[in-house]
Amino acid sequence: MIYLDNQATTPLAPEARDAMLKWLDTAEGSGFGNPHSPHRMGRMAGAAIDFAREQVAGLLPPGGTVHFTGSACEAINLAMRGAGGDGPISVSAIEHAAVYETAEALGRRHLLNVAANGQCNTSQSLPQGTRLVCVMQVNNEIGTIQPTVEWHRKAKEHNALFLCDAVQSYGKMEVTGADMIAISAHKIYGPKGIGALWVRHGLELDPQITGGLQEGYRSGTLSTALVAGFGAAAAVAKERMDDDADHAEKLWTRARAMFASNWALNGDEDTRLHANLNVRRSGLDVARLMSECRDVMFSAGSACASGSGKTSHVLKAIGLSDEQAKSSIRIGWGRYTTMEQLETGVAAILDAANGQ
């Protein structure tokens, strides 16, 4: 099988796997102890978590604390629900469902418009009394980079907090400043089941899961193995960031050339991470295409919403019709994708599409 869906998840880095194995061992004297226990084994595990926290923080701005969560979705919910207040929550129209639907569930969602190129610019006004602004740094479906520095500045001018979903940017580019930043391990070649919320020093949140508050704002025993894997993945991402970007650029150039004929690009050509390609073709039957390309792993949009049958709210927000959105596909490559894999996978997709 050829894997071209790296925005949905990434394979586990060998370094992350090695870091995890030590803490999965049940042999006597190993590190399976509860990291919150005061005895020797607990302190060993706790020290590993402290070390991983520093590794994860190494890819984030200074002046904040990393709080581990079960996922980026949980981190986002902790930020949005824990920030308190009754004012509107302004979110870009292309936010991940974790932000988009949480703001709706809280009953105070205000949508910020996004241009056809996938950019959410700061020329638009915020509602009076806005308490929270949420703009992701890199979109998970179309890869466009948002002006988060400017949105952070605008939020401060309105005495509002700024939350940045950095799930797709973390480990791939510099993460810009915010009051709160949500990240996930499995998007940077770490394990699933572990995320984090970075919180600016001086900002207090209301816990949403009570019962021990082992992570300050979050209750529950941490998995030393998952945290260690996250830390190792972050350390490798920091070391390899330039090399990973160069590799992604080469694959982008080749994929872009292969999809040049009869395919339209969704989102801006340049102001994006060149790690994925979201393209559409008139009349394309995506369900049939995926059935005919069962050995090539690609996507029709966000993995979190792919089973809902709903048209992508991201593609509709940039002006695509339902028909255009439903004839779009996303392919994404990463650190371990070879040029041969990309070419073989894309060729199979193109052959199947041309046969429709």
Side-chain angles (χ1 to χ4, degrees), residues 240-307:
R240 293 184 53 116
M241 192 178 294
D242 290 341
D243 290 340
D244 284 350
D246 289 344
H247 179 60
E249 188 67 30
K250 291 183 177 70
L251 296 177
W252 159 269
T253 300
R254 181 61 181 134
R256 191 76 183 95
M258 293 183 76
F259 276 104
S261 179
N262 299 322
W263 294 82
L265 178 68
N266 295 327
D268 190 70
E269 179 91 26
D270 300 313
T271 312
R272 69 192 296 154
L273 275 187
H274 283 173
N276 83 328
L277 195 63
N278 195 304
V279 289
R280 66 182 188 274
R281 180 170 173 172
S282 180
L284 183 67
D285 185 336
V286 174
R288 176 182 168 189
L289 180 68
M290 297 185 78
S291 176
E292 293 176 350
C293 299
R294 282 171 288 185
D295 289 334
V296 184
M297 309 301 112
F298 63 102
S299 174
S302 167
C304 300
S306 60

Short mmCIF file of all heavy atoms in Angstrom, two decimals, residues 240-307:
data_model
loop_
_atom_site.label_atom_id
_atom_site.label_comp_id
_atom_site.label_asym_id
_atom_site.label_seq_id
_atom_site.Cartn_x
_atom_site.Cartn_y
_atom_site.Cartn_z
N ARG A 240 15.15 17.99 12.27
CA ARG A 240 15.00 17.70 10.85
C ARG A 240 14.10 18.70 10.11
O ARG A 240 13.78 18.47 8.94
CB ARG A 240 14.39 16.30 10.68
CG ARG A 240 15.26 15.15 11.10
CD ARG A 240 14.57 13.84 10.78
NE ARG A 240 14.16 13.80 9.38
CZ ARG A 240 14.63 12.93 8.49
NH1 ARG A 240 15.53 12.03 8.85
NH2 ARG A 240 14.20 12.95 7.25
N MET A 241 13.72 19.78 10.75
CA MET A 241 12.72 20.66 10.15
C MET A 241 13.11 21.14 8.75
O MET A 241 12.31 21.09 7.82
CB MET A 241 12.45 21.86 11.06
CG MET A 241 11.22 22.66 10.64
SD MET A 241 10.84 24.04 11.75
CE MET A 241 10.39 23.16 13.25
N ASP A 242 14.32 21.58 8.59
CA ASP A 242 14.76 22.07 7.27
C ASP A 242 14.82 20.94 6.25
O ASP A 242 14.39 21.11 5.09
CB ASP A 242 16.13 22.75 7.38
CG ASP A 242 16.06 24.08 8.13
OD1 ASP A 242 14.96 24.64 8.24
OD2 ASP A 242 17.12 24.54 8.60
N ASP A 243 15.37 19.80 6.65
CA ASP A 243 15.45 18.66 5.74
C ASP A 243 14.06 18.17 5.34
O ASP A 243 13.81 17.84 4.18
CB ASP A 243 16.23 17.52 6.38
CG ASP A 243 17.71 17.83 6.51
OD1 ASP A 243 18.20 18.73 5.80
OD2 ASP A 243 18.38 17.17 7.33
N ASP A 244 13.15 18.11 6.32
CA ASP A 244 11.78 17.68 6.02
C ASP A 244 11.11 18.63 5.04
O ASP A 244 10.38 18.22 4.13
CB ASP A 244 10.96 17.60 7.30
CG ASP A 244 11.28 16.36 8.13
OD1 ASP A 244 12.00 15.47 7.64
OD2 ASP A 244 10.80 16.30 9.29
N ALA A 245 11.35 19.94 5.24
CA ALA A 245 10.75 20.95 4.35
C ALA A 245 11.30 20.83 2.93
O ALA A 245 10.56 20.94 1.95
CB ALA A 245 10.99 22.34 4.90
N ASP A 246 12.60 20.60 2.82
CA ASP A 246 13.21 20.43 1.49
C ASP A 246 12.64 19.20 0.78
O ASP A 246 12.37 19.23 -0.43
CB ASP A 246 14.73 20.30 1.62
CG ASP A 246 15.41 21.61 2.02
OD1 ASP A 246 14.77 22.67 1.90
OD2 ASP A 246 16.57 21.56 2.47
N HIS A 247 12.48 18.12 1.53
CA HIS A 247 11.93 16.89 0.95
C HIS A 247 10.49 17.11 0.50
O HIS A 247 10.10 16.70 -0.61
CB HIS A 247 12.00 15.78 2.00
CG HIS A 247 11.45 14.47 1.54
ND1 HIS A 247 11.96 13.78 0.45
CD2 HIS A 247 10.42 13.71 2.01
CE1 HIS A 247 11.28 12.66 0.27
NE2 HIS A 247 10.33 12.60 1.21
N ALA A 248 9.70 17.78 1.34
CA ALA A 248 8.31 18.06 0.98
C ALA A 248 8.22 18.92 -0.27
O ALA A 248 7.33 18.71 -1.12
CB ALA A 248 7.60 18.74 2.15
N GLU A 249 9.12 19.88 -0.40
CA GLU A 249 9.11 20.77 -1.56
C GLU A 249 9.36 20.00 -2.85
O GLU A 249 8.72 20.26 -3.89
CB GLU A 249 10.15 21.87 -1.38
CG GLU A 249 10.11 22.97 -2.42
CD GLU A 249 8.84 23.81 -2.34
OE1 GLU A 249 8.29 23.96 -1.23
OE2 GLU A 249 8.41 24.33 -3.39
N LYS A 250 10.28 19.05 -2.82
CA LYS A 250 10.56 18.24 -4.01
C LYS A 250 9.32 17.43 -4.41
O LYS A 250 8.99 17.34 -5.60
CB LYS A 250 11.74 17.31 -3.74
CG LYS A 250 13.09 18.00 -3.58
CD LYS A 250 14.20 16.98 -3.39
CE LYS A 250 15.57 17.63 -3.30
NZ LYS A 250 15.76 18.39 -2.05
N LEU A 251 8.66 16.86 -3.42
CA LEU A 251 7.46 16.06 -3.71
C LEU A 251 6.32 16.95 -4.20
O LEU A 251 5.55 16.55 -5.09
CB LEU A 251 7.05 15.29 -2.47
CG LEU A 251 8.07 14.24 -1.98
CD1 LEU A 251 7.58 13.59 -0.69
CD2 LEU A 251 8.34 13.19 -3.04
N TRP A 252 6.20 18.15 -3.62
CA TRP A 252 5.18 19.10 -4.07
C TRP A 252 5.38 19.43 -5.55
O TRP A 252 4.42 19.43 -6.33
CB TRP A 252 5.24 20.37 -3.23
CG TRP A 252 4.64 21.58 -3.88
CD1 TRP A 252 5.26 22.50 -4.68
CD2 TRP A 252 3.26 22.00 -3.83
NE1 TRP A 252 4.38 23.46 -5.11
CE2 TRP A 252 3.15 23.17 -4.61
CE3 TRP A 252 2.12 21.50 -3.20
CZ2 TRP A 252 1.93 23.85 -4.76
CZ3 TRP A 252 0.92 22.18 -3.36
CH2 TRP A 252 0.83 23.34 -4.13
N THR A 253 6.61 19.73 -5.93
CA THR A 253 6.89 20.10 -7.32
C THR A 253 6.49 18.98 -8.28
O THR A 253 5.89 19.24 -9.33
CB THR A 253 8.39 20.42 -7.48
OG1 THR A 253 8.73 21.51 -6.61
CG2 THR A 253 8.72 20.81 -8.92
N ARG A 254 6.80 17.75 -7.90
CA ARG A 254 6.46 16.62 -8.77
C ARG A 254 4.94 16.38 -8.80
O ARG A 254 4.36 16.19 -9.88
CB ARG A 254 7.18 15.37 -8.27
CG ARG A 254 6.93 14.13 -9.12
CD ARG A 254 7.42 14.34 -10.55
NE ARG A 254 7.15 13.18 -11.38
CZ ARG A 254 6.63 13.26 -12.60
NH1 ARG A 254 6.32 14.44 -13.12
NH2 ARG A 254 6.44 12.16 -13.31
N ALA A 255 4.32 16.41 -7.64
CA ALA A 255 2.87 16.17 -7.59
C ALA A 255 2.11 17.26 -8.34
O ALA A 255 1.15 16.99 -9.06
CB ALA A 255 2.40 16.10 -6.14
N ARG A 256 2.56 18.50 -8.17
CA ARG A 256 1.90 19.62 -8.85
C ARG A 256 1.98 19.45 -10.36
O ARG A 256 1.01 19.73 -11.08
CB ARG A 256 2.56 20.93 -8.42
CG ARG A 256 1.82 22.18 -8.85
CD ARG A 256 0.60 22.41 -7.99
NE ARG A 256 -0.15 23.57 -8.46
CZ ARG A 256 -1.18 23.51 -9.28
NH1 ARG A 256 -1.58 22.34 -9.76
NH2 ARG A 256 -1.83 24.60 -9.63
N ALA A 257 3.11 18.99 -10.84
CA ALA A 257 3.28 18.79 -12.28
C ALA A 257 2.38 17.66 -12.78
O ALA A 257 1.79 17.74 -13.87
CB ALA A 257 4.74 18.48 -12.60
N MET A 258 2.25 16.59 -12.00
CA MET A 258 1.45 15.44 -12.42
C MET A 258 -0.04 15.78 -12.45
O MET A 258 -0.79 15.22 -13.25
CB MET A 258 1.72 14.25 -11.50
CG MET A 258 3.12 13.68 -11.62
SD MET A 258 3.38 12.20 -10.60
CE MET A 258 2.52 10.95 -11.56
N PHE A 259 -0.48 16.70 -11.59
CA PHE A 259 -1.89 17.08 -11.55
C PHE A 259 -2.16 18.37 -12.35
O PHE A 259 -3.19 19.00 -12.15
CB PHE A 259 -2.33 17.29 -10.10
CG PHE A 259 -2.73 16.04 -9.39
CD1 PHE A 259 -1.88 15.47 -8.45
CD2 PHE A 259 -3.94 15.42 -9.65
CE1 PHE A 259 -2.24 14.31 -7.77
CE2 PHE A 259 -4.31 14.26 -8.99
CZ PHE A 259 -3.46 13.69 -8.05
N ALA A 260 -1.25 18.73 -13.24
CA ALA A 260 -1.37 20.02 -13.94
C ALA A 260 -2.52 20.04 -14.93
O ALA A 260 -3.17 21.07 -15.14
CB ALA A 260 -0.06 20.35 -14.64
N SER A 261 -2.80 18.91 -15.57
CA SER A 261 -3.78 18.89 -16.66
C SER A 261 -5.16 18.47 -16.15
O SER A 261 -5.31 17.42 -15.52
CB SER A 261 -3.32 17.91 -17.74
OG SER A 261 -4.24 17.83 -18.79
N ASN A 262 -6.17 19.33 -16.41
CA ASN A 262 -7.58 19.05 -16.10
C ASN A 262 -7.90 19.04 -14.61
O ASN A 262 -8.99 18.62 -14.22
CB ASN A 262 -8.02 17.71 -16.71
CG ASN A 262 -7.90 17.71 -18.22
OD1 ASN A 262 -8.18 18.70 -18.88
ND2 ASN A 262 -7.45 16.58 -18.76
N TRP A 263 -6.97 19.50 -13.77
CA TRP A 263 -7.20 19.56 -12.34
C TRP A 263 -7.01 21.00 -11.86
O TRP A 263 -6.11 21.70 -12.29
CB TRP A 263 -6.22 18.66 -11.57
CG TRP A 263 -6.41 17.20 -11.83
CD1 TRP A 263 -5.93 16.48 -12.89
CD2 TRP A 263 -7.15 16.27 -11.03
NE1 TRP A 263 -6.31 15.17 -12.80
CE2 TRP A 263 -7.05 15.01 -11.66
CE3 TRP A 263 -7.87 16.38 -9.84
CZ2 TRP A 263 -7.66 13.87 -11.13
CZ3 TRP A 263 -8.46 15.24 -9.31
CH2 TRP A 263 -8.36 14.00 -9.95
N ALA A 264 -7.88 21.44 -10.95
CA ALA A 264 -7.78 22.79 -10.38
C ALA A 264 -7.31 22.68 -8.94
O ALA A 264 -7.75 21.79 -8.19
CB ALA A 264 -9.13 23.50 -10.45
N LEU A 265 -6.45 23.60 -8.54
CA LEU A 265 -5.93 23.62 -7.18
C LEU A 265 -6.90 24.33 -6.26
O LEU A 265 -7.40 25.40 -6.58
CB LEU A 265 -4.57 24.32 -7.17
CG LEU A 265 -3.88 24.48 -5.80
CD1 LEU A 265 -3.44 23.12 -5.27
CD2 LEU A 265 -2.68 25.42 -5.92
N ASN A 266 -7.16 23.76 -5.09
CA ASN A 266 -7.97 24.41 -4.06
C ASN A 266 -7.04 25.11 -3.07
O ASN A 266 -6.20 24.46 -2.45
CB ASN A 266 -8.84 23.39 -3.33
CG ASN A 266 -9.88 22.76 -4.23
OD1 ASN A 266 -10.40 23.40 -5.14
ND2 ASN A 266 -10.21 21.50 -3.98
N GLY A 267 -7.20 26.41 -2.92
CA GLY A 267 -6.33 27.17 -2.02
C GLY A 267 -5.17 27.81 -2.75
O GLY A 267 -4.88 27.49 -3.91
N ASP A 268 -4.50 28.71 -2.07
CA ASP A 268 -3.42 29.47 -2.67
C ASP A 268 -2.25 28.58 -3.08
O ASP A 268 -1.96 27.58 -2.44
CB ASP A 268 -2.94 30.53 -1.67
CG ASP A 268 -2.00 31.54 -2.30
OD1 ASP A 268 -2.46 32.34 -3.12
OD2 ASP A 268 -0.80 31.49 -1.97
N GLU A 269 -1.59 28.98 -4.15
CA GLU A 269 -0.46 28.21 -4.68
C GLU A 269 0.77 28.30 -3.78
O GLU A 269 1.49 27.32 -3.58
CB GLU A 269 -0.10 28.73 -6.07
CG GLU A 269 1.07 28.03 -6.73
CD GLU A 269 0.66 26.84 -7.57
OE1 GLU A 269 -0.48 26.82 -8.04
OE2 GLU A 269 1.49 25.94 -7.75
N ASP A 270 1.02 29.49 -3.23
CA ASP A 270 2.28 29.74 -2.54
C ASP A 270 2.16 29.88 -1.03
O ASP A 270 3.03 29.42 -0.29
CB ASP A 270 2.93 31.00 -3.12
CG ASP A 270 3.23 30.87 -4.60
OD1 ASP A 270 3.79 29.82 -4.99
OD2 ASP A 270 2.88 31.78 -5.36
N THR A 271 1.10 30.55 -0.54
CA THR A 271 0.98 30.80 0.90
C THR A 271 0.37 29.57 1.56
O THR A 271 -0.75 29.58 2.06
CB THR A 271 0.12 32.04 1.17
OG1 THR A 271 0.56 33.11 0.34
CG2 THR A 271 0.25 32.48 2.62
N ARG A 272 1.14 28.50 1.56
CA ARG A 272 0.69 27.22 2.09
C ARG A 272 1.90 26.37 2.39
O ARG A 272 3.00 26.62 1.86
CB ARG A 272 -0.22 26.51 1.08
CG ARG A 272 0.52 26.03 -0.15
CD ARG A 272 -0.42 25.59 -1.26
NE ARG A 272 -1.21 24.41 -0.87
CZ ARG A 272 -2.40 24.12 -1.40
NH1 ARG A 272 -2.94 24.91 -2.32
NH2 ARG A 272 -3.06 23.05 -1.03
N LEU A 273 1.72 25.37 3.24
CA LEU A 273 2.76 24.37 3.40
C LEU A 273 2.71 23.44 2.19
O LEU A 273 1.64 22.94 1.84
CB LEU A 273 2.52 23.55 4.68
CG LEU A 273 3.05 24.11 6.00
CD1 LEU A 273 2.86 23.08 7.10
CD2 LEU A 273 4.51 24.50 5.91
N HIS A 274 3.84 23.21 1.58
CA HIS A 274 3.87 22.35 0.39
C HIS A 274 3.99 20.89 0.79
O HIS A 274 4.88 20.17 0.33
CB HIS A 274 5.01 22.79 -0.53
CG HIS A 274 4.68 24.02 -1.29
ND1 HIS A 274 5.59 24.68 -2.09
CD2 HIS A 274 3.52 24.74 -1.39
CE1 HIS A 274 5.00 25.75 -2.65
NE2 HIS A 274 3.75 25.79 -2.23
N ALA A 275 3.07 20.47 1.67
CA ALA A 275 3.07 19.09 2.14
C ALA A 275 1.82 18.34 1.72
O ALA A 275 1.69 17.15 1.99
CB ALA A 275 3.20 19.05 3.67
N ASN A 276 0.92 19.05 1.06
CA ASN A 276 -0.28 18.37 0.57
C ASN A 276 -0.79 19.08 -0.68
O ASN A 276 -0.38 20.20 -1.01
CB ASN A 276 -1.37 18.30 1.64
CG ASN A 276 -2.20 19.58 1.73
OD1 ASN A 276 -1.72 20.67 1.48
ND2 ASN A 276 -3.45 19.44 2.11
N LEU A 277 -1.68 18.40 -1.36
CA LEU A 277 -2.27 18.94 -2.57
C LEU A 277 -3.76 18.64 -2.52
O LEU A 277 -4.16 17.49 -2.41
CB LEU A 277 -1.63 18.28 -3.80
CG LEU A 277 -1.83 18.93 -5.16
CD1 LEU A 277 -1.21 20.33 -5.20
CD2 LEU A 277 -1.20 18.07 -6.25
N ASN A 278 -4.57 19.69 -2.56
CA ASN A 278 -6.03 19.53 -2.58
C ASN A 278 -6.49 20.02 -3.94
O ASN A 278 -6.37 21.21 -4.25
CB ASN A 278 -6.68 20.33 -1.45
CG ASN A 278 -8.12 19.92 -1.22
OD1 ASN A 278 -8.94 19.94 -2.13
ND2 ASN A 278 -8.44 19.56 0.01
N VAL A 279 -6.98 19.09 -4.76
CA VAL A 279 -7.31 19.41 -6.15
C VAL A 279 -8.69 18.87 -6.50
O VAL A 279 -9.20 17.96 -5.83
CB VAL A 279 -6.26 18.82 -7.13
CG1 VAL A 279 -4.94 19.56 -7.03
CG2 VAL A 279 -6.05 17.33 -6.87
N ARG A 280 -9.27 19.43 -7.54
CA ARG A 280 -10.59 18.98 -7.98
C ARG A 280 -10.60 18.82 -9.50
O ARG A 280 -9.81 19.43 -10.22
CB ARG A 280 -11.67 19.97 -7.56
CG ARG A 280 -11.60 21.32 -8.23
CD ARG A 280 -12.67 22.28 -7.71
NE ARG A 280 -12.73 23.52 -8.47
CZ ARG A 280 -11.98 24.57 -8.22
NH1 ARG A 280 -11.09 24.57 -7.24
NH2 ARG A 280 -12.10 25.67 -8.98
N ARG A 281 -11.54 17.98 -9.92
CA ARG A 281 -11.73 17.74 -11.36
C ARG A 281 -13.22 17.63 -11.62
O ARG A 281 -13.92 16.88 -10.93
CB ARG A 281 -11.01 16.46 -11.77
CG ARG A 281 -11.14 16.12 -13.25
CD ARG A 281 -10.20 14.99 -13.61
NE ARG A 281 -10.41 14.52 -14.96
CZ ARG A 281 -9.62 13.66 -15.58
NH1 ARG A 281 -8.56 13.17 -14.95
NH2 ARG A 281 -9.88 13.28 -16.80
N SER A 282 -13.68 18.37 -12.57
CA SER A 282 -15.11 18.41 -12.86
C SER A 282 -15.65 17.02 -13.16
O SER A 282 -15.09 16.28 -13.97
CB SER A 282 -15.36 19.34 -14.06
OG SER A 282 -16.73 19.40 -14.36
N GLY A 283 -16.76 16.69 -12.48
CA GLY A 283 -17.41 15.41 -12.72
C GLY A 283 -16.78 14.22 -12.04
O GLY A 283 -17.25 13.09 -12.23
N LEU A 284 -15.75 14.43 -11.23
CA LEU A 284 -15.06 13.32 -10.61
C LEU A 284 -15.95 12.64 -9.56
O LEU A 284 -16.54 13.29 -8.70
CB LEU A 284 -13.78 13.83 -9.93
CG LEU A 284 -12.88 12.78 -9.27
CD1 LEU A 284 -12.27 11.87 -10.32
CD2 LEU A 284 -11.79 13.45 -8.44
N ASP A 285 -16.02 11.33 -9.62
CA ASP A 285 -16.74 10.53 -8.63
C ASP A 285 -15.69 10.05 -7.62
O ASP A 285 -14.99 9.05 -7.85
CB ASP A 285 -17.42 9.35 -9.30
CG ASP A 285 -18.28 8.53 -8.34
OD1 ASP A 285 -18.01 8.57 -7.12
OD2 ASP A 285 -19.19 7.83 -8.81
N VAL A 286 -15.56 10.77 -6.50
CA VAL A 286 -14.49 10.49 -5.55
C VAL A 286 -14.67 9.13 -4.89
O VAL A 286 -13.69 8.41 -4.67
CB VAL A 286 -14.41 11.62 -4.49
CG1 VAL A 286 -13.40 11.27 -3.42
CG2 VAL A 286 -14.03 12.94 -5.16
N ALA A 287 -15.90 8.77 -4.55
CA ALA A 287 -16.15 7.47 -3.92
C ALA A 287 -15.70 6.33 -4.83
O ALA A 287 -15.05 5.37 -4.38
CB ALA A 287 -17.62 7.32 -3.58
N ARG A 288 -16.03 6.44 -6.11
CA ARG A 288 -15.60 5.42 -7.06
C ARG A 288 -14.09 5.43 -7.22
O ARG A 288 -13.45 4.37 -7.28
CB ARG A 288 -16.28 5.67 -8.41
CG ARG A 288 -15.84 4.73 -9.52
CD ARG A 288 -16.52 5.08 -10.83
NE ARG A 288 -15.92 4.40 -11.96
CZ ARG A 288 -16.20 4.66 -13.24
NH1 ARG A 288 -17.12 5.58 -13.53
NH2 ARG A 288 -15.61 3.99 -14.21
N LEU A 289 -13.49 6.63 -7.24
CA LEU A 289 -12.04 6.75 -7.38
C LEU A 289 -11.33 6.05 -6.22
O LEU A 289 -10.36 5.31 -6.43
CB LEU A 289 -11.65 8.23 -7.42
CG LEU A 289 -10.16 8.54 -7.58
CD1 LEU A 289 -9.68 8.13 -8.97
CD2 LEU A 289 -9.90 10.02 -7.34
N MET A 290 -11.80 6.27 -5.00
CA MET A 290 -11.16 5.66 -3.84
C MET A 290 -11.34 4.15 -3.85
O MET A 290 -10.45 3.40 -3.43
CB MET A 290 -11.72 6.27 -2.56
CG MET A 290 -11.44 7.75 -2.42
SD MET A 290 -11.96 8.46 -0.84
CE MET A 290 -10.61 7.89 0.21
N SER A 291 -12.47 3.67 -4.36
CA SER A 291 -12.71 2.24 -4.46
C SER A 291 -11.76 1.60 -5.47
O SER A 291 -11.27 0.48 -5.26
CB SER A 291 -14.16 1.98 -4.87
OG SER A 291 -14.40 0.60 -5.05
N GLU A 292 -11.50 2.31 -6.56
CA GLU A 292 -10.63 1.77 -7.62
C GLU A 292 -9.15 1.90 -7.27
O GLU A 292 -8.31 1.26 -7.91
CB GLU A 292 -10.94 2.47 -8.94
CG GLU A 292 -12.33 2.15 -9.48
CD GLU A 292 -12.66 2.94 -10.74
OE1 GLU A 292 -11.89 3.86 -11.09
OE2 GLU A 292 -13.68 2.62 -11.38
N CYS A 293 -8.84 2.73 -6.28
CA CYS A 293 -7.44 2.94 -5.87
C CYS A 293 -7.25 2.48 -4.43
O CYS A 293 -6.71 3.21 -3.59
CB CYS A 293 -7.05 4.41 -6.00
SG CYS A 293 -7.15 5.06 -7.67
N ARG A 294 -7.67 1.26 -4.15
CA ARG A 294 -7.67 0.79 -2.76
C ARG A 294 -6.29 0.64 -2.18
O ARG A 294 -6.12 0.59 -0.96
CB ARG A 294 -8.43 -0.53 -2.67
CG ARG A 294 -9.95 -0.36 -2.70
CD ARG A 294 -10.66 -1.69 -2.81
NE ARG A 294 -10.50 -2.27 -4.13
CZ ARG A 294 -11.10 -3.39 -4.53
NH1 ARG A 294 -11.89 -4.04 -3.69
NH2 ARG A 294 -10.92 -3.86 -5.75
N ASP A 295 -5.26 0.57 -3.01
CA ASP A 295 -3.89 0.43 -2.50
C ASP A 295 -3.20 1.77 -2.34
O ASP A 295 -2.01 1.82 -1.99
CB ASP A 295 -3.07 -0.47 -3.43
CG ASP A 295 -3.52 -1.92 -3.34
OD1 ASP A 295 -4.05 -2.31 -2.29
OD2 ASP A 295 -3.33 -2.66 -4.33
N VAL A 296 -3.91 2.86 -2.63
CA VAL A 296 -3.35 4.21 -2.44
C VAL A 296 -4.20 4.91 -1.39
O VAL A 296 -5.41 5.07 -1.55
CB VAL A 296 -3.36 5.02 -3.76
CG1 VAL A 296 -2.69 6.37 -3.54
CG2 VAL A 296 -2.65 4.25 -4.87
N MET A 297 -3.54 5.31 -0.32
CA MET A 297 -4.26 5.95 0.78
C MET A 297 -4.26 7.46 0.57
O MET A 297 -3.23 8.12 0.71
CB MET A 297 -3.59 5.64 2.13
CG MET A 297 -3.32 4.16 2.38
SD MET A 297 -4.79 3.12 2.36
CE MET A 297 -4.50 2.17 0.86
N PHE A 298 -5.42 8.02 0.22
CA PHE A 298 -5.58 9.46 0.10
C PHE A 298 -6.93 9.81 0.68
O PHE A 298 -7.62 8.96 1.26
CB PHE A 298 -5.42 9.94 -1.34
CG PHE A 298 -6.45 9.41 -2.30
CD1 PHE A 298 -7.52 10.18 -2.71
CD2 PHE A 298 -6.32 8.12 -2.81
CE1 PHE A 298 -8.47 9.68 -3.59
CE2 PHE A 298 -7.27 7.61 -3.71
CZ PHE A 298 -8.35 8.39 -4.09
N SER A 299 -7.35 11.06 0.59
CA SER A 299 -8.52 11.51 1.32
C SER A 299 -9.42 12.37 0.46
O SER A 299 -8.99 12.97 -0.52
CB SER A 299 -8.08 12.29 2.56
OG SER A 299 -9.19 12.85 3.22
N ALA A 300 -10.70 12.44 0.89
CA ALA A 300 -11.64 13.36 0.27
C ALA A 300 -11.81 14.60 1.15
O ALA A 300 -12.69 15.42 0.91
CB ALA A 300 -12.99 12.68 0.06
N GLY A 301 -10.99 14.73 2.18
CA GLY A 301 -11.08 15.88 3.10
C GLY A 301 -10.54 15.52 4.45
O GLY A 301 -9.68 14.64 4.57
N SER A 302 -11.04 16.15 5.49
CA SER A 302 -10.61 15.88 6.85
C SER A 302 -10.99 14.47 7.26
O SER A 302 -12.10 14.02 7.04
CB SER A 302 -11.25 16.88 7.81
OG SER A 302 -11.08 16.48 9.15
N ALA A 303 -10.03 13.75 7.88
CA ALA A 303 -10.32 12.40 8.34
C ALA A 303 -11.43 12.40 9.39
O ALA A 303 -12.21 11.45 9.49
CB ALA A 303 -9.06 11.76 8.92
N CYS A 304 -11.50 13.46 10.19
CA CYS A 304 -12.49 13.53 11.26
C CYS A 304 -13.91 13.64 10.72
O CYS A 304 -14.87 13.29 11.41
CB CYS A 304 -12.20 14.72 12.17
SG CYS A 304 -10.58 14.64 12.94
N ALA A 305 -14.07 14.15 9.50
CA ALA A 305 -15.40 14.36 8.94
C ALA A 305 -15.69 13.46 7.75
O ALA A 305 -16.77 13.53 7.18
CB ALA A 305 -15.54 15.83 8.53
N SER A 306 -14.74 12.60 7.38
CA SER A 306 -14.88 11.84 6.14
C SER A 306 -16.05 10.87 6.16
O SER A 306 -16.59 10.53 5.12
CB SER A 306 -13.58 11.08 5.85
OG SER A 306 -13.29 10.18 6.91
N GLY A 307 -16.45 10.41 7.35
CA GLY A 307 -17.55 9.46 7.42
C GLY A 307 -18.92 10.10 7.57
O GLY A 307 -19.93 9.40 7.59
#
